[in-house]
Amino acid sequence: RDTLELRLREEYEGLLPREGEEIRMEHVKLDGRVIRLRPGTVLEGGERYRVRREFSGGGVYDALGVPKEEGDYGIAEFERFGETITTSYYDVDGRLKGTYININTPVEVLPGRARYVDLEVDVVQLPGSPKRVVDRELLERAHDRRVIGDGLYRRALELAAALSSDK
């Protein structure tokens, strides 16, 4: 079994997005909608990914309340099959604008894309401010409507609590 697993892992890894390649992020909502985020460039890949995404001006970053400006970029970090995606947003001069930790189902990394289901609850942090949990009520509503079960509900809440208490 171990030999087969290692062989499959090696063969599968050849399909994964590599450094310098484009990757699309598929953010699946609990109602089944697929939000295709702006593609990014893989800075680091394998088991742990770092992806740079460029933004144009207009609007604000969700839950951070910080304006999106021309030249902004984000660095998303996640692990294959990890339950979070941490995106740090920067201005054109490289100054941190804020950090957003998305809590999700394990991230599938596939040829040219990463896909996960958003569990609604997130943790955000502005520079110089403490981390805070946002959108807990959206997770609670999904649980109340039985869109997600008790185990996944508890896991998302535990992750949010643990991540928001990190210093």
Side-chain angles (χ1 to χ4, degrees):
R1 183 180 187 283
D2 290 335
T3 305
L4 175 61
E5 187 174 317
L6 285 173
R7 193 176 80 239
L8 289 173
R9 180 181 287 268
E10 287 172 4
E11 290 175 9
Y12 178 69
E13 299 229 349
L15 299 174
L16 299 178
R18 294 182 181 94
E19 187 176 321
E21 294 181 348
E22 183 178 275
I23 187 171
R24 295 181 325 273
M25 305 290 288
E26 295 181 355
H27 180 95
V28 182
K29 300 300 279 182
L30 289 173
D31 64 7
R33 287 178 295 135
V34 178
I35 299 170
R36 288 176 175 81
L37 304 179
R38 182 181 301 264
T41 302
V42 176
L43 301 176
E44 178 184 327
E47 289 299 314
R48 182 167 182 73
Y49 276 80
R50 289 181 67 241
V51 174
R52 179 180 171 127
R53 296 174 44 231
E54 308 280 335
F55 303 104
S56 49
V60 295
Y61 292 107
D62 187 33
L64 291 169
V66 177
K68 288 183 185 179
E69 299 172 300
E70 197 64 39
D72 283 0
Y73 64 95
I75 303 293
E77 298 180 78
F78 57 93
E79 293 180 10
R80 284 177 54 205
F81 309 113
E83 297 173 285
T84 62
I85 298 174
T86 300
T87 304
S88 298
Y89 296 97
Y90 299 90
D91 70 14
V92 69
D93 296 317
R95 287 185 297 264
L96 180 65
K97 296 181 103 170
T99 302
Y100 192 100
I101 305 172
N102 191 78
I103 297 171
N104 42 257
T105 60
V107 179
E108 285 184 275
V109 180
L110 304 161
R113 64 189 169 125
R115 183 180 177 93
Y116 55 92
V117 177
D118 178 22
L119 295 178
E120 302 294 355
V121 66
D122 304 294
V123 175
V124 298
Q125 183 176 31
L126 294 171
S129 298
K131 292 178 181 176
R132 61 190 172 86
V133 176
V134 296
D135 297 337
R136 180 182 174 137
E137 68 283 356
L138 298 175
L139 173 67
E140 290 171 353
R141 255 187 298 204
H143 180 251
D144 291 346
R145 290 189 334 262
R146 300 197 188 290
V147 173
I148 61 170
D150 294 339
L152 192 54
Y153 173 73
R154 280 193 304 274
R155 178 66 182 148
L157 289 178
E158 288 168 4
L159 270 172
L163 292 167
S164 65
S165 68
D166 286 349
K167 300 296 177 203

